[in-house]
Amino acid sequence: MTAPPHPDNSPARDNTPGTVLVVGGTGFIGRAVLTALTRHHSPHSGTPTLLAVCRTPPRTGLPGVRYTARDLTDPATLRGICSTTVVHAASYVGPDPRQCHRINHTGTRALLDEAQRHNVKSFLYIGTTAVYGHGPREDRLTPAPASPASASRLLAEQDARAAGATILRPPLVYGTGDRWFIPTLAHLMRRVPAWPDQPPPRTSVIAVEDLARLTTYRPHPPPPPHPATPAPPTTPPTPSLCPGTTCWPGYAPCSACRRRRRSPSANTAHSSGVHCPA
């Protein structure tokens, strides 16, 4: 049975020695960070007190975690919340430019101001490799954000770095609670019946549990700025069923594949024995 959360809406500061504050503690990444922290948490062993900041405390929270309702867009609600260690995992990734600015940029700035006011020594900001824009190469990491969300998060990073914070830029994150990466990929696979065969697509990804483990890893040096799987995965090897494309199993064959089936060389084109579904 999961213990009930401990909602706390009082303005009193909680900076007892060893307190870890996770901002965005009910979000996809924030909850994973808290879960990783609770594995080593015991209220009677001298381990850090865990405090989660969110807009609305959950009805059922993680055991040993106190939840407090705060709003990054209202700096007055942030007074007194900063502790000895802050993990900032809250962000807005929607299309509204005003919300991006209010939550990601000015909200982070307000949180940093509060942390500096209380002399917080350890502040970790979880950003994103999306600040590099579309299709960055590992040897060309120059920020070029292509959306209001990534642009505002880059501004937040710059403020955090200026304040002495540690910046973590994970790539695409997947796992339980993911509402963006895997659902979007699944939608794409349903809508697009063919996939480029050359060059092999590559992308860097990280499981949310691994990201949380890196985030909570305490011995210095800090975690690498771009955590990801050691070798970027590729799509599984598939035969070239038609020029330049590979049809997805379970979908209707593309027009090029249908033309090749009607031609005398169709058997050669499908000599691997793997065929587009008719």
Side-chain angles (χ1 to χ4, degrees), residues 253-275:
C254 64
S255 58
C257 214
R258 287 196 296 268
R259 287 195 300 272
R260 292 176 69 89
R261 283 187 173 185
R262 291 193 294 268
S263 72
S265 60
N267 291 334
T268 302
H270 297 277
S271 59
S272 66
V274 180
H275 302 271

Side-chain angles (χ1 to χ4, degrees), residues 6 14-22 33-52 62-66 83-87 122 215-219:
H6 303 282
D14 189 344
N15 67 342
T16 54
T19 298
V20 176
L21 176 72
V22 178
V33 170
L34 282 170
T35 300
L37 287 169
T38 57
R39 291 196 181 101
H40 308 287
H41 179 265
S42 172
H44 306 295
S45 65
T47 53
T49 300
L50 304 179
L51 180 63
L62 295 171
V65 178
R66 289 178 52 203
S83 53
T84 53
T85 299
V86 176
V87 178
S122 180
T215 300
T216 58
Y217 183 69
R218 265 301 118 207

